[in-house]
Amino acid sequence: MTFLFFLLLVKHFVCDFGLQGRFIGRYPPGSKRHLFSPALLLHAFDHALGNAFVFAIFGSMLHMVSPQEYTGFFWLAPLLFGLLDFVLHIFIDWRKNIIVYNLNIKQSDRMFWKITTVDQILHVTCYWLYVWLFDKFFF
């Protein structure tokens, strides 16, 4: 399960830092403070697809290696954990953006980076939860 956690972290950094930059200039700054903004939904959708991909690959590998042990609904894990990450990612980022906007915090402010640290800890905690749920209910 350590490898699954590692894959989820790699997925997170690709989606949060590599892919998110493509939204810069397309949507107004601070638009992610609106719950159904395209920037927020598209960003969360990146994470959902990434999670689904990670769980599909990992579940397929487990099923090929030991089909007698991993007979669970391995096709359900990508859907479930993709959807769960979509919803949780929306709420974590939405809340962060509301705090940053309401307190008029700029990216150059130290407080922005403290809030971003909490944001990242919450996302990593979600991945720990997904791995625990996967191990408990799918394996």
Side-chain angles (χ1 to χ4, degrees):
M1 293 300 147
T2 304
F3 186 60
L4 175 59
F5 187 68
F6 171 74
L7 291 176
L8 288 169
L9 289 178
V10 170
K11 181 274 315 179
H12 177 75
F13 293 123
V14 167
C15 292
D16 242 28
F17 300 107
L19 295 178
Q20 192 169 194
R22 73 186 194 279
F23 300 130
I24 294 173
R26 292 176 109 183
Y27 302 102
S31 65
K32 289 197 320 188
R33 73 181 188 278
H34 303 292
L35 187 56
F36 297 109
S37 75
L40 182 59
L41 295 175
L42 289 170
H43 175 61
F45 190 65
D46 284 344
H47 281 278
L49 288 179
N51 254 31
F53 179 74
V54 166
F55 278 99
I57 296 300
F58 191 79
S60 297
M61 288 174 19
L62 286 178
H63 188 66
M64 288 188 317
V65 170
S66 59
Q68 66 279 3
E69 287 183 35
Y70 185 61
T71 57
F73 301 100
F74 77 93
W75 53 269
L76 186 60
L79 296 173
L80 176 69
F81 292 113
L83 179 63
L84 188 58
D85 200 44
F86 180 76
V87 171
L88 290 176
H89 209 93
I90 283 175
F91 281 105
I92 292 169
D93 282 13
W94 173 61
R95 196 69 212 148
K96 173 194 169 189
N97 281 278
I98 288 173
I99 292 168
V100 167
Y101 181 80
N102 286 345
L103 297 177
N104 196 28
I105 297 170
K106 306 291 179 239
Q107 192 174 3
S108 59
D109 296 338
R110 178 117 171 90
M111 184 55 72
F112 176 85
W113 295 103
K114 289 178 180 180
I115 293 168
T116 298
T117 299
V118 173
D119 166 81
Q120 293 300 304
I121 290 169
L122 290 172
H123 290 307
V124 170
T125 302
C126 288
Y127 300 132
W128 177 85
L129 174 66
Y130 304 156
V131 171
W132 182 82
L133 289 170
F134 182 76
D135 186 46
K136 181 122 175 107
F137 294 107
F138 287 91
F139 201 76

